[in-house]
Amino acid sequence: MLAGPPRALAALVSQPRIIVPGATHFVTRRTIRRHHLFAPNDPRMQQLFLYALAVAADRYDILVHLAVLMSDHEHLTLTDVLGRLPEFLQFFHRIVALSTKALRKWEGPVWDHEKPSVVELLTPQAVVEKIAYGIANPAAAGLVRRGEEWPGVMTRVDELGRAVWRIERPSFFFDPKNESWPDVAELRITMPCAAAELGTPEEFRALVRAEVERLEAEARVELERKGWTVLGVDRCRKLSPFERARSQEPLRSLNPTFAVGRGRREERLAAVARVRAFRADYRVALGSWRAGERSVSFPPGTWLMRVHHAARVAHLAAAA
């Protein structure tokens, strides 16, 4: 039997992603078959998630602006200071998976087989909207009346740019003799750089709070239309990690790579042109590389070819 291609080369069949230092992203990833593996029925689940996030963020110079852990998926808003997001996600998701398997005594994969959804946030409005989306998500799912009531990992509006969480190393899975796992890891919920364009930190929180309230109001209308009742905090705490979410979820036909915010047509058109130009230049460079031309330069934002194959990457042009 022929061996498959190396993992790094096999990844080239998917669309290349732009990875640049300083970009802010909204990350989502789901559990296998939507099992409630992250259910807040055991405080050790929240502890291992936050500990792994704190260690990984420190290791790869990632700024964390939002962390929400639902029973079957995560939402993170992050700024990738040095352009190491793929390394961070690989390390972080691996540690969460392995420690979750140890906690839940779970056989098989923890994450589903799709790649994480990674959406670059290109405007301050997009940052506001995605942070609010994460906070309102438990209410939108009909689990609690207000997103901030969710008993699992939740970054509340008042904690944006303020919270400093100190998480002790979990007593399981993480080897206390391994220097990679400190006794206590510190996770700061920082204010995204884009917030400064919208005013003071308190003004930014007010914008997020207003967007959360809008989303929660929409959720109440939708729940009433469907005839659903809110599960409630107490029942959320009793969710079994071995059950699966029952609500219908549409198949993911699109996997957006960027967001600009509602109603921003010009910014959206510019973002589409940017992605198309990057992918076109990437395809040309990749064709030359496969033909044996190792001096070819890939477009700025290329990550895999640069990191795994030492390919040249053109420098970003200075802003006019």
Side-chain angles (χ1 to χ4, degrees):
M1 181 180 294
L2 293 177
R7 181 175 299 178
L9 288 175
L12 294 176
V13 299
S14 61
Q15 291 283 13
R17 183 180 298 279
I18 302 173
I19 298 294
V20 293
T24 298
H25 302 269
F26 184 70
V27 177
T28 302
R29 195 170 191 185
R30 300 183 182 280
T31 59
I32 187 75
R33 301 187 190 92
R34 301 179 69 201
H35 281 279
H36 294 300
L37 288 171
F38 304 145
N41 65 335
D42 187 333
R44 292 178 298 173
M45 184 67 245
Q46 293 92 286
Q47 180 188 15
L48 77 83
F49 182 83
L50 290 174
Y51 182 83
L53 180 58
V55 171
D58 180 69
R59 181 170 181 167
Y60 293 103
D61 292 292
I62 299 291
L63 301 179
V64 179
H65 315 304
L66 171 85
V68 175
L69 185 64
M70 301 291 288
S71 62
D72 65 349
H73 66 278
E74 67 175 7
H75 289 307
L76 302 170
T77 305
L78 314 163
T79 292
D80 179 17
V81 177
L82 300 179
R84 303 186 70 187
L85 184 68
E87 297 170 89
F88 162 80
L89 291 177
Q90 182 182 41
F91 175 82
F92 171 61
H93 286 149
R94 179 175 180 272
I95 297 307
V96 169
L98 292 175
S99 54
T100 298
K101 285 163 69 75
L103 174 65
R104 301 301 196 191
K105 297 178 173 55
W106 178 258
E107 296 292 336
V110 167
W111 300 108
D112 73 7
H113 300 301
E114 294 191 36
K115 292 182 178 181
S117 170
V118 180
V119 180
E120 186 179 359
L121 308 181
L122 297 176
T123 68
Q125 181 180 337
V127 175
V128 168
E129 290 179 9
K130 291 301 185 182
I131 288 179
Y133 176 89
I135 296 172
N137 195 230
L143 298 172
V144 289
R145 295 189 181 280
R146 296 178 59 252
E148 293 188 351
E149 296 174 359
W150 174 245
V153 174
M154 167 59 66
T155 306
R156 292 162 178 80
V157 175
D158 286 344
E159 293 175 321
L160 297 174
R162 289 173 169 158
V164 180
W165 297 333
R166 292 175 57 81
I167 311 101
E168 293 185 0
R169 183 183 57 242
S171 59
F172 60 96
F173 179 75
F174 299 91
D175 183 357
K177 298 179 181 179
N178 188 333
E179 294 181 356
S180 297
W181 312 123
D183 293 342
V184 178
E186 185 175 276
L187 179 64
R188 292 182 176 271
I189 301 300
T190 62
M191 191 65 73
C193 293
E197 299 181 40
L198 298 173
T200 65
E202 193 52 52
E203 288 171 329
F204 177 79
R205 295 185 196 100
L207 290 170
V208 173
R209 186 177 291 107
E211 180 68 8
V212 169
E213 291 172 355
R214 185 188 72 82
L215 293 171
E216 291 177 345
E218 287 184 353
R220 287 192 293 271
V221 172
E222 183 65 11
L223 290 174
E224 184 175 350
R225 184 187 70 80
K226 293 179 177 178
W228 291 2
T229 57
V230 174
L231 190 64
V233 174
D234 289 341
R235 292 175 66 187
C236 285
R237 288 197 176 101
K238 297 175 183 178
L239 285 171
S240 168
F242 307 109
E243 293 183 358
R244 295 168 57 182
R246 298 178 182 178
S247 60
Q248 293 292 327
E249 184 174 75
L251 294 175
R252 281 177 261 180
S253 58
L254 295 176
N255 186 14
T257 60
F258 65 84
V260 296
R262 294 189 305 276
R264 293 188 170 269
R265 183 174 181 274
E266 295 302 320
E267 289 91 337
R268 177 174 177 76
L269 292 176
V272 168
R274 170 183 179 244
V275 171
R276 287 177 175 171
F278 171 80
R279 290 177 177 173
D281 292 345
Y282 189 98
R283 285 194 296 270
V284 171
L286 185 59
S288 298
W289 178 275
R290 286 172 170 166
E293 185 181 340
R294 293 297 184 260
S295 61
V296 65
S297 289
F298 282 77
T302 296
W303 185 85
L304 187 146
M305 290 299 299
R306 173 178 61 83
V307 172
H308 289 284
H309 304 288
R312 297 182 179 182
V313 174
H315 293 293
L316 280 169

